[in-house]
């Protein structure tokens, strides 16, 4: 990566209804590798409307379109039942322009949005909706990385505006939009802290979640960012051991914050599911015994059920009750990587068995469509914990080390996001070169 350059005259946008005032920054935090030279005012999109077009007829799901917003007649779906009957919040794992394409999703029960470098790589590189803003940024002299962050921040701000009513109605429980710090900081504790703080200021929305990976170097970052009063979506959790470290970081951060009112500092812990089976199945097939082959497709859900058991344990007892008295909210488990990779498995495999109160399920199009079409709403996450424990132990008896599996998946996840990030910067550089040639 290029060396860090100074950042002058940064003015975060002021959110409508926010009590925070705009702040100016003269120098970019030294270890913030990627938000460089972001020196223009990022304004809110006050033109966004929450009104639905009652006359339009659209497919159940609307992909990102090239222009214009979309609306849809509100229709009750299983997503409404999921939240109202079982206490699980359905979120959408995608974001692109125009963000008004999210309106039909909100109408049908989606209560939040997650994004990551891969999502933005796809959105920006395959759509013309970003071209006008990107052209303006390039012509104003922005470097490629700074231009990238301005594109991202605008999408996050606009999406936050759409979800603000849900955030307010649920008293900061739902209605969040997540944006991730640069994947290039996954091994940089202090850099991640500074990046999270800076990105939070630049986005300047009450309902933004700053995503921080649960890598070993970033677990202390989580604690410090929470202690600063910033809400966090902890991502790339693949093992029980790392999940417990994430919970402890959240609790430590709340205790260290010094805040008398903890009600607006929230967090979710994104526990990845399908990728676990993808790796485990390969390992089981390599072992090849009948016992091993019979465990295919079972590891991910079993581990998730045990994660929920740990969640119940950690968010109870004297330590937690002391924080509750100050308004603290539980760090909800969020099931991520819910799309099915193996076509032989049920297309709701990573949604239907993981339904339970105080959880979130973030779903890409495939999983969301499948669950709305034929998903069953009932509490399942702790329906058979003993069976989950048996599967977990059976895999250990086959000499499979859960922590090693988690570490491998974490490394693969970080590398994947880095490649998406670098690929997108390359695409933007090519676009910038084309624009410069066209202007001559």
């Amino acid at each position: 990566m290029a060396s860090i350059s100074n950042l002058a005259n940064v003015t975060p946008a002021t959110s409508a209804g926010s009590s925070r005032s705009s702040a100016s920054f003269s120098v970019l935090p030294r270890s913030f590798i990627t938000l460089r030279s972001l020196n223009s005012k990022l304004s809110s999109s006050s033109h966004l409307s929450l009104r639905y077009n009652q006359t339009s007829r659209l497919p159940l799901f609307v992909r990102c379109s090239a222009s214009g917003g979309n609306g849809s007649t509100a229709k009750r779906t299983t997503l409404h039942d999921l939240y109202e009957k079982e206490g699980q919040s359905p979120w959408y794992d995608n974001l692109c322009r125009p963000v008004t394409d999210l309106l039909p999703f909100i109408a049908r029960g989606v209560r939040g949005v997650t994004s990551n470098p891969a999502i933005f790589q796809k959105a920006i590189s395959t759509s013309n909706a970003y071209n006008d803003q990107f052209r303006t940024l390039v012509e104003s002299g922005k470097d490629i990385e700074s231009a990238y962050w301005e594109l991202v921040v605008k999408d996050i701000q606009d999406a936050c505006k759409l979800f603000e009513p849900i955030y307010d109605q649920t008293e900061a429980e739902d209605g969040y939009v997540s944006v991730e710090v640069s994947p290039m900081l996954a091994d940089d504790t202090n850099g991640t802290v500074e990046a999270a703080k800076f990105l939070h200021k630049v986005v300047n929305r009450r309902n933004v979640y700053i995503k921080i990976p649960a890598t070993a170097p970033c677990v202390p970052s989580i604690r410090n960012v929470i202690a600063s009063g910033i809400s966090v979506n902890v991502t790339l959790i693949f093992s029980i051991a790392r999940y417990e470290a994430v919970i402890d970081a959240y609790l430590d951060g709340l205790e260290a914050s010094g805040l008398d009112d903890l009600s607006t500092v929230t967090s979710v812990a994104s526990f990845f599911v399908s990728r676990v089976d993808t790796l485990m199945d390969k390992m089981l097939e390599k072992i090849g015994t009948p016992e091993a082959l019979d465990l295919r497709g079972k590891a991910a859900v079993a581990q998730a059920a045990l994660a929920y058991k740990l969640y119940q344990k950690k968010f109870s007892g004297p330590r937690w009750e002391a924080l509750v008295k100050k308004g603290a909210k539980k760090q909800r488990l969020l099931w991520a990587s819910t799309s099915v990779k193996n076509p032989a498995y049920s297309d709701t495999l990573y949604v239907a068995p993981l339904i339970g109160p105080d959880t979130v399920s973030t779903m890409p199009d495939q999983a969301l469509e499948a669950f709305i079409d034929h998903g069953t709403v009932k509490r399942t996450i702790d329906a058979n914990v003993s069976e989950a424990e048996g599967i977990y132990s059976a895999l250990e008896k086959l000499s499979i080390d859960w922590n090693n599996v988690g570490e491998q998946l974490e490394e693969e996840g970080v590398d994947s996001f880095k490649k998406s990030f670098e690929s997108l910067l390359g695409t933007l550089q090519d676009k910038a070169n084309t624009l410069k040639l066209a202007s001559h």
Side-chain angles (χ1 to χ4, degrees):
M1 297 297 294
S3 60
I4 301 159
S5 58
N6 289 341
L7 175 65
N9 303 320
V10 178
T11 308
T14 302
S15 173
S18 172
S19 60
R20 288 193 293 269
S21 60
S22 296
S24 296
F25 302 85
S26 59
V27 180
L28 178 69
R30 289 181 304 160
S31 50
F32 196 118
I33 296 177
T34 58
L35 279 177
R36 301 173 306 173
S37 304
L38 194 77
N39 57 7
S40 65
K41 185 173 182 179
L42 295 165
S43 60
S44 62
S45 297
S46 57
H47 64 280
L48 290 174
S49 172
L50 286 174
R51 296 177 181 174
Y52 299 97
N53 181 352
Q54 298 296 322
T55 61
S56 63
R57 288 184 173 272
L58 297 171
L60 182 59
F61 290 97
V62 184
R63 302 302 193 277
C64 300
S65 57
S67 64
N70 291 290
S72 176
T73 302
K75 177 182 177 183
R76 187 172 184 84
T77 72
T78 53
L79 300 184
H80 293 101
D81 292 338
L82 191 63
Y83 176 74
E84 294 170 13
K85 296 181 179 180
E86 299 299 340
Q88 182 174 81
S89 297
W91 290 6
Y92 182 41
D93 192 31
N94 195 21
L95 181 60
C96 49
R97 293 186 185 179
V99 297
T100 47
D101 277 357
L102 292 170
L103 292 174
F105 291 84
I106 296 172
R108 292 180 171 89
V110 166
R111 307 180 64 79
V113 161
T114 49
S115 69
N116 59 46
I119 285 173
F120 276 115
Q121 191 273 337
K122 180 180 178 181
I124 297 174
S125 64
T126 62
S127 171
N128 293 325
Y130 296 84
N131 288 358
D132 289 346
Q133 185 188 4
F134 182 65
R135 180 189 297 274
T136 300
L137 293 168
V138 170
E139 291 177 348
S140 70
K142 295 289 183 182
D143 64 80
I144 296 303
E145 208 165 318
S146 296
Y148 162 80
W149 283 108
E150 292 209 25
L151 297 176
V152 167
V153 167
K154 175 169 172 50
D155 279 7
I156 297 298
Q157 289 176 331
D158 289 351
C160 281
K161 182 71 175 176
L162 297 182
F163 281 91
E164 266 187 348
I166 295 175
Y167 176 86
D168 290 333
Q169 291 161 9
T170 60
E171 297 181 341
E173 178 187 83
D174 266 332
Y176 288 94
V177 179
S178 297
V179 59
E180 192 160 344
V181 298
S182 168
M184 301 303 178
L185 296 169
D187 295 321
D188 186 343
T189 303
N190 293 331
T192 294
V193 172
E194 294 183 22
K197 290 179 178 179
F198 188 79
L199 192 53
H200 182 258
K201 285 181 179 292
V202 172
V203 174
N204 194 25
R205 294 292 184 270
R206 296 173 300 149
N207 56 327
V208 65
Y209 264 144
I210 306 301
K211 289 182 77 172
I212 296 176
T215 58
C218 286
V219 170
S221 309
I222 297 161
R223 182 261 187 203
N224 292 337
V225 173
I226 290 293
S228 299
I230 296 172
S231 295
V232 174
N233 177 343
V234 184
T235 189
L236 295 177
I237 304 173
F238 295 98
S239 70
I240 298 291
R242 184 55 54 82
Y243 174 48
E244 184 164 18
V246 166
I247 296 175
D248 289 338
Y250 177 62
L251 297 175
D252 290 345
L254 290 178
E255 291 170 338
S257 70
L259 295 172
D260 293 326
D261 179 9
L262 297 171
S263 63
T264 59
V265 184
T266 69
S267 181
V268 290
S270 295
F271 204 99
F272 280 57
V273 193
S274 68
R275 295 189 195 184
V276 174
D277 274 347
T278 299
L279 177 57
M280 280 287 197
D281 285 1
K282 292 178 182 178
M283 299 172 71
L284 292 168
E285 288 169 0
K286 186 175 182 179
I287 294 171
T289 63
E291 294 82 5
L293 297 177
D294 186 56
L295 290 169
R296 288 177 297 179
K298 298 178 180 179
V301 170
Q303 183 180 224
L306 299 184
Y308 188 74
K309 180 181 178 182
L310 177 63
Y311 160 83
Q312 292 175 308
K313 176 184 176 182
K314 297 287 284 189
F315 289 99
S316 62
R319 183 186 187 189
W320 176 242
E321 291 305 321
L323 289 167
V324 169
K325 291 179 181 178
K326 292 186 175 183
K329 296 178 179 177
K330 296 176 181 178
Q331 181 189 54
R332 292 189 295 170
L333 262 170
L334 180 152
W335 309 122
S337 182
T338 54
S339 62
V340 175
K341 310 296 192 292
N342 188 334
Y345 296 159
S346 165
D347 55 5
T348 61
L349 176 60
Y350 304 115
V351 180
L354 303 178
I355 297 174
D358 302 322
T359 59
V360 177
S361 180
T362 189
M363 295 170 268
D365 288 291
Q366 175 199 47
L368 203 61
E369 290 183 38
F371 191 75
I372 285 184
D373 182 62
H374 49 268
T376 300
V377 175
K378 66 176 181 179
R379 180 167 176 163
T380 52
I381 183 61
D382 50 3
N384 202 335
V385 176
S386 60
E387 181 181 347
E389 291 172 336
I391 293 170
Y392 194 92
S393 297
L395 288 161
E396 289 181 319
K397 290 176 182 177
L398 292 174
S399 299
I400 292 177
D401 188 314
W402 281 93
N403 288 336
N404 288 344
V405 169
E407 290 172 3
Q408 180 177 335
L409 289 170
E410 176 188 295
E411 182 178 349
E412 291 174 358
V414 171
D415 286 345
S416 175
F417 284 163
K418 285 181 177 179
K419 288 177 182 177
S420 294
F421 185 76
E422 291 172 337
S423 173
L424 179 54
L425 293 185
T427 298
L428 290 176
Q429 184 63 64
D430 291 341
K431 283 190 176 183
N433 293 340
T434 300
L435 289 173
K436 290 176 183 177
L437 287 173
S439 64
H440 287 87

